[in-house]
């Protein structure tokens, strides 16, 4: 047996590919591509991929490309719904035990949300069931984090974000920027969020249908919390009563982010939540 020659076709292809990249100018790309080709070749062999499989895969990738344009990226949706986006997010924003988990931001974040005072409402059109959120921003020792910037955004009662359909809602509806007080607290008035479906009219939606996967995201609010000396926290809070909680197509649900909306007053709800920030460490870059 020749010990220098890999024994399976997949290993031979992987080895040849690696050898050909020996003098690649981009070393990092070459190393990554080498590992990728090796992993794919192994999978092709293990799964006994045939010509029809390969044609179907190429057809799917072509459709995903055709469904993408400047306003909609079907490729991003594919990465999201396969859990890759959430996995990358978790890897690049590791939090110490006890800190609030980071999640994906999603495509509807806007930097230019209206500045709001403590206790103000972010609902400009007033449509929906009133909700009062009492938020506490703390560090890992339980001490308050004062003057944190709390950005919040959510979909309306029809599950639509203001920047998704700008003619249907007032500019800046259901998004706002708040500051925590000296006690780390802030009160946000809004309306109870409703769940919504991610776009499912393209090839990714078709794939999900064939796999029996639901496009419904559980009802949630989005937050981005930043404060000097702390890692920026991008996260969600999810409604504990939403039936879609166990099957979020974007894999963002974490038990620490699930809250109950308690009835209060006439048709309204209230809840409180503590966000725990991790201290920034040197060289750490977060967005
Ligand atoms: C969102 O939760 O806002 C969202 C995230 C990714 C894709 C679609 C929507
Ligand atoms: Fe959302």
């Amino acid at each position: 047996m020749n010990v220098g020659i890999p024994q399976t076709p997949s290993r031979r292809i992987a080895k040849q590919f690696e050898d050909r990249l020996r003098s690649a100018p981009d070393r990092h790309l070459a190393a990554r591509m080498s590992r990728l080709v090796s992993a794919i070749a192994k999978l092709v062999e293990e799964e006994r991929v045939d010509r029809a499989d390969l044609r179907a895969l190429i057809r799917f990738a072509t459709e995903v490309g055709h469904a993408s344009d400047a306003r909609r990226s079907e490729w991003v949706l594919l990465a999201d719904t396969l859990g890759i986006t959430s996995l990358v997010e978790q890897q690049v924003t590791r939090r110490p035990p006890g800190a609030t988990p980071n999640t994906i931001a999603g495509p509807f974040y806007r930097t230019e949300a209206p500045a709001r005072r403590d206790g103000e409402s972010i609902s400009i059109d007033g449509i929906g069931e009133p909700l009062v959120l009492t938020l506490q921003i703390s560090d890992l020792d339980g001490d308050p984090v004062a003057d944190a910037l709390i950005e919040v955004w959510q979909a309306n009662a029809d599950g639509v974000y203001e920047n998704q359909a700008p003619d249907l809602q007032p500019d800046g509806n259901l998004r706002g920027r708040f500051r925590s007080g000296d006690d780390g607290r802030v009160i946000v008035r809004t309306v109870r969020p409703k769940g919504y479906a991610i776009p499912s009219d393209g090839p990714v939606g078709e794939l999900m249908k064939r796999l029996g996967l639901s496009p419904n995201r559980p009802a949630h609010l989005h937050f981005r919390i930043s404060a000097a000396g702390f890692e920026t926290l991008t996260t969600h809070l999810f409604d504990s009563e939403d039936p879609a909680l166990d099957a979020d197509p974007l894999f963002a649900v974490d038990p620490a982010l699930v809250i109950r909306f308690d009835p209060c007053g006439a048709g309204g709800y209230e809840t409180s939540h503590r966000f725990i920030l991790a201290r920034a460490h040197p060289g750490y870059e977060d967005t």
Side-chain angles (χ1 to χ4, degrees):
M1 196 168 83
N2 188 334
V3 279
I5 300 176
Q7 290 313 300
T8 66
S10 74
R11 287 206 208 119
R12 277 198 291 280
I13 297 271
K15 174 82 171 59
Q16 282 175 349
F17 189 75
E18 189 183 356
D19 288 348
R20 290 173 195 181
L21 298 185
R22 284 257 143 79
S23 51
D26 188 333
R27 298 308 311 152
H28 177 71
L29 179 64
R32 285 273 169 97
M33 286 305 294
S34 217
R35 302 255 304 150
L36 184 65
V37 165
S38 170
I40 292 173
K42 188 160 175 273
L43 193 65
V44 166
E45 202 164 65
E46 283 170 0
E47 295 296 320
R48 299 228 161 279
V49 170
D50 63 17
R51 290 188 194 117
D53 294 330
L54 185 57
R55 271 199 304 274
L57 181 64
I58 290 172
R59 197 180 322 117
F60 176 71
T62 306
E63 284 169 10
V64 170
H66 286 161
S68 303
D69 58 27
R71 294 194 55 203
R72 168 175 179 159
S73 175
E74 196 77 359
W75 284 110
V76 171
L77 201 58
L78 183 62
D80 289 351
T81 52
L82 295 182
I84 312 293
T85 312
S86 268
L87 179 60
V88 169
E89 196 57 28
Q90 283 167 41
Q91 274 186 177
V92 301
T93 58
R94 286 242 167 95
R95 295 290 187 255
T100 302
N102 210 85
T103 66
I104 55 170
F108 303 120
Y109 171 74
R110 276 178 69 183
T111 45
E112 67 280 20
R116 299 285 182 205
R117 282 190 309 278
D118 187 25
E120 260 195 292
S121 178
I122 59 170
S123 169
I124 298 174
D125 60 13
I127 300 173
E129 302 162 308
L131 170 67
V132 182
L133 299 168
T134 302
L135 306 175
Q136 173 71 45
I137 319 299
S138 304
D139 67 13
L140 274 163
D141 299 323
D143 292 326
V145 177
D147 202 34
L149 172 66
I150 298 119
E151 296 170 87
V152 54
W153 67 104
Q154 68 175 86
N156 70 2
D158 295 326
V160 180
Y161 287 83
E162 150 264 12
N163 53 341
Q164 244 179 322
D167 359 332
L168 298 183
Q169 294 179 55
D171 188 42
N173 195 39
L174 295 175
R175 59 179 77 233
R177 299 157 65 86
F178 292 80
R179 289 272 171 192
S180 59
D182 289 344
D183 54 0
R185 223 179 61 138
V186 67
I187 293 180
V188 175
R189 285 194 162 73
T190 181
V191 293
R192 186 171 178 167
K194 288 279 190 299
Y196 58 86
I198 58 168
S200 60
D201 55 345
V204 172
E206 189 53 39
L207 174 69
M208 291 179 74
K209 253 181 240 129
R210 285 181 63 184
L211 297 174
L213 294 170
S214 164
N216 295 340
R217 293 215 70 198
H220 60 271
L221 298 116
H222 293 265
F223 297 89
R224 178 168 287 191
I225 303 173
S226 33
F230 292 90
E231 290 169 7
T232 296
L233 172 67
T234 303
T235 198
H236 288 63
L237 288 179
F238 293 94
D239 181 348
S240 63
E241 285 176 21
D242 196 305
L245 205 56
D246 292 333
D248 178 21
L250 305 183
F251 300 86
V253 177
D254 180 292
L257 304 176
V258 177
I259 53 167
R260 253 176 60 120
F261 298 127
D262 297 313
C264 79
Y269 294 89
E270 65 183 358
T271 191
S272 55
H273 189 73
R274 181 185 292 267
F275 289 107
I276 303 175
L277 303 186
R279 294 219 172 257
H281 46 272
Y284 184 93
E285 273 182 38
D286 205 352
T287 51

